Amino acid sequence: MLITGVSSGIGRELARQLARRARTLVLVARSGERLDALREELLALNPTLGVWVEQCDLSQPEHVDTLLDSLRRNLIRVDVLVNNAGMGDYGLYEQESWPRIHQMVQANMTAPLLLTRRLVRRMVERKRGGILNIGSGGGSAFVPGLAVYAATQRFLDGFTEALRLELLGTGVVVTQVAPGPVDTGGDEAAQPPEGPLAAWLRIPVARCASEALAGFERAEPLVYPGRAHRWMMRLAALLPRRTKRAVWLPAARRLRYGTAQLGPAHPESAPGLLLAGGPGNVRDEA
């Protein structure tokens, strides 16, 4: 079982919970120090667990190839792949640096594609396995300040849904998790400003991980951790695009001008309550 982005947040909690039920874990993150600390923690609680750590910057495709070659040389077979690592930034698109944009695209899109491409074929041959993709509820929202991040999450959503259909009947399970606000203990990347409902939607990271794994074990196609977030996402799916634009327009104005009430009303600026205030899983764990 291979898990990316385990240095903090949801990835680290997934590793902790999976350590109680897996025989071997392959832990991948950029920080070698955090990898070693997590390895020691897991072995202290589960002495018979096999733990293999790989320090890897997933925003560099050549590093992904090196990771996979290392697994092959050491005869490590991956039955379950957890694509959790990701990166996110908050700000106006024209002010983002291109290297950072490219890094996000590589980490959030290219890395899951490469890992899945190299590992899923053997799963199909063995007629068993699983792909668990950790995305974000922000992928289906119109979030000003997160244009690139939201775009990468929509890509992951489309990829996961199509891949699931392709693999039906092969014995390989494909599940996507789209969290809302998650309390990670403050050890993740800086979060964007949150809307008035964020505190109501927020859940502990342990609950997020446990609901994600429970949905994966039930072979669910899409998991929204947290009851309030789940109902909010189902409601949002019923809203027309025009309404969604109106809902997020005040946030866009605040981002651009520092206020939501500058200038004449836009045709799509009908009053609306900010539903969630940004994705719950903007992380920096590539």
Side-chain angles (χ1 to χ4, degrees):
M1 183 174 294
L2 187 154
I3 313 170
T4 67
V6 299
S7 60
S8 63
I10 297 172
R12 183 170 60 191
E13 186 59 33
L14 286 169
R16 287 168 172 164
Q17 295 191 21
L18 286 169
R20 298 193 292 264
R21 61 186 84 175
R23 289 183 297 179
T24 303
L25 291 180
V26 179
L27 308 178
V28 180
R30 284 185 300 180
S31 171
E33 183 178 344
R34 291 191 177 190
L35 275 174
D36 291 339
L38 180 59
R39 180 180 183 274
E40 294 303 316
E41 174 191 334
L42 297 182
L43 289 176
L45 297 174
N46 309 273
T48 62
L49 177 69
V51 181
W52 185 274
V53 297
E54 288 281 352
Q55 185 176 0
C56 177
D57 182 355
L58 294 176
S59 68
Q60 304 295 324
E62 60 274 18
H63 292 190
V64 179
D65 288 335
T66 300
L67 161 66
L68 294 169
D69 290 342
S70 173
L71 298 181
R72 178 182 54 80
R73 288 195 308 271
N74 289 281
L75 304 178
I76 297 176
R77 187 179 71 181
V78 177
D79 293 321
V80 174
L81 168 63
V82 182
N83 285 310
N84 168 77
M87 305 177 70
D89 262 346
Y90 179 74
L92 292 168
Y93 178 71
E94 79 268 15
Q95 295 177 3
E96 294 281 349
S97 72
W98 180 253
R100 179 62 174 179
I101 290 172
H102 187 255
Q103 190 179 28
M104 273 192 283
V105 169
Q106 295 285 70
N108 297 1
M109 296 167 55
T110 305
L113 286 180
L114 281 173
L115 288 168
T116 302
R117 179 68 177 82
R118 293 278 295 271
L119 297 174
V120 75
R121 181 177 296 180
R122 293 294 179 87
M123 296 180 192
V124 173
E125 291 173 354
R126 294 190 295 265
K127 299 182 179 179
R128 63 186 303 270
I131 307 292
L132 178 61
N133 289 333
I134 310 298
S136 170
S140 60
F142 302 170
V143 191
L146 293 168
V148 177
Y149 180 81
T152 63
Q153 297 310 303
R154 290 194 185 196
F155 170 88
L156 187 67
D157 174 60
F159 170 64
T160 306
E161 291 287 358
L163 183 66
R164 178 182 172 87
L165 292 175
E166 291 183 11
L167 293 176
L168 284 176
T170 66
V172 181
V173 174
V174 181
T175 295
Q176 178 185 185
V177 181
V182 176
D183 183 4
T184 61
D187 60 356
E188 298 228 314
Q191 299 290 310
E194 295 182 330
L197 298 183
W200 179 58
L201 297 173
R202 185 177 301 280
I203 61 174
V205 67
R207 179 180 173 187
C208 178
S210 64
E211 291 193 17
L213 294 177
F216 185 45
E217 290 177 347
R218 293 192 296 266
E220 294 181 5
L222 179 60
V223 178
Y224 293 122
R227 180 177 299 177
H229 172 62
R230 184 159 52 250
W231 282 106
M232 186 69 72
M233 294 303 294
R234 290 172 178 173
L235 174 63
L238 302 176
L239 298 176
R241 294 174 73 90
R242 180 183 179 90
T243 303
K244 291 180 181 180
R245 295 188 195 105
V247 165
W248 286 103
L249 183 58
R253 287 179 167 175
R254 280 192 295 270
L255 176 65
R256 172 68 66 177
Y257 304 111
T259 175
Q261 302 297 329
L262 286 182
H266 189 278
E268 293 182 340
S269 62
L273 178 66
L274 196 60
L275 291 182
N281 191 28
V282 177
R283 53 207 189 282
D284 196 354
E285 300 177 340

